[in-house]
Amino acid sequence: QVQLAESGGGLVQAGGSLKLSCAASGRVFNSYGMGWFRQAPGKPRDFVASISYSGANTIYADSVKGRFTISRDNANNTVYLQMNSLKPEDTAVYYCAAGKSPSALRMLASFGSWGQGAQVTVSS
């Protein structure tokens, strides 16, 4: 089992930037892929980005491609989501998740452990 804790959420104006961090403990960190998902009120939890165990492979949702960057620091058991050019529609609770395999994946069912979530609010 993996324990995950997000940090770095907050309120930002449209066009601004935020960087989310997710600290992991439990399983050997460099043995599994990691992902970020988000959930707006009244909407399902949507895929944002994922990264393979080594960091060599990444996947992004079309809505964030070119604006968000996922990365990981295996020495410090942390995954990051750098969010630039933020839009009001990016407002959501952002969750990090630990994958069930070493690959970068996008399906929610491919992830077995979840953090508590971090609120990101983008004002217009």
Side-chain angles (χ1 to χ4, degrees):
Q1 190 73 3
V2 180
Q3 291 75 47
L4 303 170
E6 301 97 336
S7 60
L11 173 64
V12 64
Q13 288 189 329
S17 298
L18 278 175
K19 187 173 185 177
L20 300 180
S21 300
C22 174
S25 61
R27 283 165 56 199
V28 176
F29 185 67
N30 62 1
S31 66
Y32 51 91
M34 293 290 295
W36 287 96
F37 289 74
R38 66 187 182 186
Q39 188 167 19
K43 294 189 176 182
R45 190 170 297 189
D46 289 333
F47 170 77
V48 174
S50 67
I51 188 167
S52 61
Y53 75 103
S54 67
N57 297 302
T58 57
I59 304 173
Y60 295 92
D62 288 344
S63 58
V64 306
K65 202 171 294 183
R67 300 189 297 123
F68 291 11
T69 301
I70 188 171
S71 60
R72 66 189 295 161
D73 180 350
N74 286 344
N76 290 297
N77 293 355
T78 303
V79 64
Y80 304 97
L81 185 68
Q82 176 68 47
M83 304 182 292
N84 298 330
S85 302
L86 282 161
K87 305 175 181 180
E89 51 263 44
D90 294 319
T91 295
V93 177
Y94 283 71
Y95 297 90
C96 72
K100 298 176 182 177
S101 82
S103 304
L105 300 169
R106 66 171 65 233
M107 297 294 290
L108 192 145
S110 299
F111 296 84
S113 298
W114 296 83
Q116 80 286 355
Q119 177 69 48
V120 172
T121 303
V122 184
S123 63
S124 57

